[in-house]
Amino acid sequence: MIAALVTLLMAGMPAQAPGDVRLAVTVVDQTGAVIQNAKVTVTPSTDPKTPVAPVQTGEKGVATLQGLSPGRYSIHAEFSGFEPRLLKDVQLKSGDNKHIVVLALQGVQDTVTVVRDAREAASDRRATFGTAMTREQIDALSDDPDEMAQQLQDLVGGNAVIRVDSFEGGRLPPKSAIKAVHITRDAFAA
């Protein structure tokens, strides 16, 4: 008898209607200002491949969805110039549900290429009238002092004068003893 009474009472109770969930998603920025026309997509956690049709926020920054079934959902919000945000595994119950999604500003990346002004580079005496060889360039020269002298003559061209420790006419030392090679040009030559 009690079982029959419970069965009758259960039959008389209204069943929870699927599709009675109302969801209001407010999209704001980091300062709390609402974002109009943000795209909000809600996806059931049980079937992530079938999202509910996207909705845009109105002038108050709220997107409203109705007719959802109770359960767990993912809420995705995005707007140009902001990082998209995903709220995972949000429990929606029958009746009204409200959620706020905060979007952070998108990082700005820019590249700048700095080059030397051509007129300034042309007026630099160090670049125009002389250069210093790098250690790698010195290492690439011949180990034989006579052959190294010829390579330096060929590199400079014309009637080059080789000076060792600022003295002309000296023999080049072994390459291992050379600390630097400077090539200077006559500033007053034609």
Side-chain angles (χ1 to χ4, degrees), residues 78-168:
E78 61 184 58
F79 188 72
S80 178
F82 291 85
E83 295 289 334
R85 179 83 188 272
L86 176 66
L87 302 179
K88 293 182 180 180
D89 211 26
V90 175
Q91 178 67 40
L92 298 182
K93 58 182 178 23
S94 293
D96 291 333
N97 295 268
K98 295 181 180 180
H99 290 279
I100 296 176
V101 179
V102 180
L103 299 183
L105 280 174
Q106 204 169 40
V108 177
Q109 290 185 338
D110 202 0
T111 57
V112 176
T113 304
V114 179
V115 294
R116 193 170 180 189
D117 181 59
R119 288 178 292 182
E120 182 183 330
S123 66
D124 185 0
R125 290 182 57 102
R126 292 174 295 166
T128 307
F129 300 113
T131 58
M133 293 181 74
T134 64
R135 184 81 242 159
E136 291 80 23
Q137 290 171 328
I138 294 171
D139 290 340
L141 294 172
S142 174
D143 290 329
D144 178 35
D146 293 328
E147 194 173 317
M148 186 187 326
Q150 185 59 47
Q151 288 174 331
L152 290 172
Q153 287 282 350
D154 295 342
L155 178 69
V156 176
N159 298 333
V161 176
I162 296 179
R163 294 185 180 141
V164 177
D165 293 330
S166 298
F167 295 104
E168 288 182 28

Side-chain angles (χ1 to χ4, degrees), residues 6-132:
V6 171
T7 307
L8 285 173
L9 286 174
M10 297 278 290
M13 292 179 69
Q16 188 178 40
D20 67 344
V21 173
R22 287 176 304 284
L23 174 62
V25 178
T26 305
V27 181
V28 297
D29 67 9
Q30 294 165 315
T31 66
V34 297
I35 300 176
Q36 299 175 2
N37 298 318
K39 179 179 166 186
V40 176
T41 307
V42 177
T43 307
S45 295
T46 56
D47 191 10
K49 295 188 183 207
T50 58
V52 177
V55 179
Q56 285 195 327
T57 58
E59 67 179 45
K60 293 186 179 181
V62 179
T64 306
L65 292 107
Q66 295 183 10
L68 300 173
S69 298
R72 295 197 173 278
Y73 290 83
S74 294
I75 301 171
H76 182 266
E78 61 184 58
F79 188 72
S80 178
F82 291 85
E83 295 289 334
R85 179 83 188 272
L86 176 66
L87 302 179
K88 293 182 180 180
D89 211 26
V90 175
Q91 178 67 40
L92 298 182
K93 58 182 178 23
S94 293
D96 291 333
N97 295 268
K98 295 181 180 180
H99 290 279
I100 296 176
V101 179
V102 180
L103 299 183
L105 280 174
Q106 204 169 40
V108 177
Q109 290 185 338
D110 202 0
T111 57
V112 176
T113 304
V114 179
V115 294
R116 193 170 180 189
D117 181 59
R119 288 178 292 182
E120 182 183 330
S123 66
D124 185 0
R125 290 182 57 102
R126 292 174 295 166
T128 307
F129 300 113
T131 58

